[in-house]
Amino acid sequence: GTKKKASCPGLGLFYTILSAFLFSVASLFLKKIEDVHSVEVSAFRCVFQMAFVLPGLIYYKTGFLGPKGKRIFLFFRGFLGSTAMVLLYYAYQVMPLADATVITFTSPVFTSLLAWIFLKEKYSLWDLLFTLFAIIGVILIARPPFLFGSRVTGIEGSYTEHVKGTIAAIISTVSAASTIVILRKMGKSVHYFLSIWYYAVIGLIGCVIALFVLNEWRLPHCGRDRVFLILIGLLGLGGQIFLIKALQIEKAGPVSIMRTMDVVFAFILQILFLNHLPTWWTVGGALCVVASSSGTAIRKWRHSVKKAKQREI
């Protein structure tokens, strides 16, 4: 459908930058929290999302289960989306902030690949090239010893934790890409509030079960950490709202490109507040991933513009 025109030029891109900043600050607070498991943080985030979405479901009268033929898709969207969130939060806790953020930006590349496999969308040589760029970027960040030697520098904690965080970030990214493919499959037949509702409910149920199994459920001892938990929920929710508003008044291509500001903010916040200077390997990996995700976004944008012109003719 047609996008609504913004009340002022560039408003959609400004919303995108604001969304990226809010997500980055939420990630910073996550790094600052002590002794709280990533699953518990995810549970708090789900509670905030449910509190936000519930009035919308009542107002739009969408129901809580969705159309019968779409419920299985909604379930997998919720399961994969919440899995992506938990694994991403874990990666933020055990990896440098910039490293984990950069890996998440390989999502457009995985989305193109999965859309080609499951939705039979076109996958060109350019897409393959961008995929290779993304893989090179992840390798530069992970820095496996068999390629970079036994002395790996610029990581937080042990290298084992760094590898676990890298694997978690990659699985999170693939899960997030899968949710986008599922949303494309459902199309516009399901209200986006209902999609977020499934994401929050299934995520909360899964997090509570995981916390009992892991025996990790506990409130933070420090009052500062409790404030951080609330802020993470509010900032994550605010980031989602501004991203949705940006997509409502701006084309998806420019929004996807501008979202790479999240990487810039991650580098700045990591240097200013975590006293952790990124290595040149991380910078090189970030450039590869940003080039890959931006190239994918530009190609999709040009393709959509071309199709729109053909429909007009």
Side-chain angles (χ1 to χ4, degrees):
T2 57
K3 300 286 183 182
K4 296 178 182 178
K5 289 187 177 180
S7 56
C8 66
L11 183 60
L13 299 182
F14 171 74
Y15 283 154
T16 308
I17 295 174
L18 185 56
S19 169
F21 178 73
L22 294 178
F23 281 133
S24 298
V25 175
S27 305
L28 174 65
F29 288 152
L30 182 61
K31 294 287 290 183
K32 290 287 189 180
I33 285 182
E34 300 174 0
D35 263 347
V36 180
H37 200 280
S38 59
V39 179
E40 186 173 348
V41 180
S42 302
F44 273 92
R45 168 80 180 271
C46 289
V47 169
F48 274 95
Q49 290 200 173
M50 288 175 64
F52 167 74
V53 172
L54 185 60
L57 293 178
I58 296 172
Y59 178 79
Y60 288 109
K61 300 178 181 179
T62 61
F64 296 96
L65 297 177
K68 286 186 177 180
K70 303 294 182 180
R71 289 174 187 174
I72 185 66
F73 294 114
L74 284 166
F75 171 80
F76 280 109
R77 182 268 184 271
F79 175 76
L80 291 169
S82 56
T83 300
M85 175 178 59
V86 173
L87 292 175
L88 178 60
Y89 283 180
Y90 173 77
Y92 279 140
Q93 287 184 331
V94 300
M95 293 181 71
L97 180 61
D99 290 22
T101 303
V102 169
I103 292 176
T104 63
F105 273 82
T106 59
S107 181
V109 178
F110 286 115
T111 302
S112 297
L113 182 61
L114 293 174
W116 171 58
I117 295 172
F118 295 105
L119 301 181
K120 308 303 179 185
E121 293 186 5
K122 185 178 179 182
Y123 190 80
S124 66
L125 288 175
W126 280 108
D127 293 310
L128 178 60
L129 179 64
F130 294 142
T131 302
L132 293 175
F133 260 93
I135 292 172
I136 291 171
V138 172
I139 290 174
L140 292 176
I141 291 170
R143 299 189 288 283
F146 67 87
L147 289 177
F148 293 82
S150 58
R151 299 179 64 182
V152 180
T153 59
I155 63 174
E156 291 181 0
S158 66
Y159 182 73
T160 302
E161 290 295 316
H162 184 78
V163 171
K164 288 180 180 178
T166 302
I167 294 172
I170 293 172
I171 297 175
S172 169
T173 302
V174 175
S175 298
S178 301
T179 63
I180 295 174
V181 173
I182 291 171
L183 289 171
R184 286 186 189 174
K185 180 70 175 178
M186 289 192 297
K188 297 180 180 179
S189 59
V190 177
H191 198 280
Y192 69 89
F193 269 171
L194 196 58
S195 175
I196 299 174
W197 173 254
Y198 266 79
Y199 172 90
V201 171
I202 293 175
L204 181 61
I205 294 172
C207 287
V208 170
I209 294 173
L211 286 169
F212 276 107
V213 171
L214 297 171
N215 195 24
E216 289 284 351
W217 180 265
R218 59 181 180 274
L219 283 173
H221 300 295
C222 175
R224 185 192 68 169
D225 285 351
R226 297 180 186 183
V227 173
F228 282 162
L229 274 177
I230 296 172
L231 289 175
I232 288 170
L234 292 175
L235 290 169
L237 182 58
Q240 277 196 333
I241 292 172
F242 281 112
L243 184 59
I244 291 171
K245 288 180 69 68
L247 289 168
Q248 287 176 340
I249 60 178
E250 185 60 78
K251 290 183 173 62
V255 170
S256 298
I257 296 169
M258 195 58 67
R259 276 215 66 199
T260 56
M261 284 298 297
D262 203 334
V263 176
V264 177
F265 289 135
F267 274 99
I268 293 172
L269 294 176
Q270 177 176 299
I271 294 170
L272 292 179
F273 297 101
L274 301 176
N275 298 319
H276 187 97
L277 289 172
T279 65
W280 286 110
W281 295 116
T282 298
V283 174
L287 291 175
C288 288
V289 170
V290 168
S292 172
S293 59
S294 298
T296 302
I298 291 171
R299 281 202 73 254
K300 296 297 182 184
W301 178 24
R302 291 182 61 184
H303 181 66
S304 63
V305 170
K306 185 177 179 180
K307 286 182 67 175
K309 289 182 178 179
Q310 288 175 347
R311 283 197 296 266
E312 288 177 2
I313 295 173

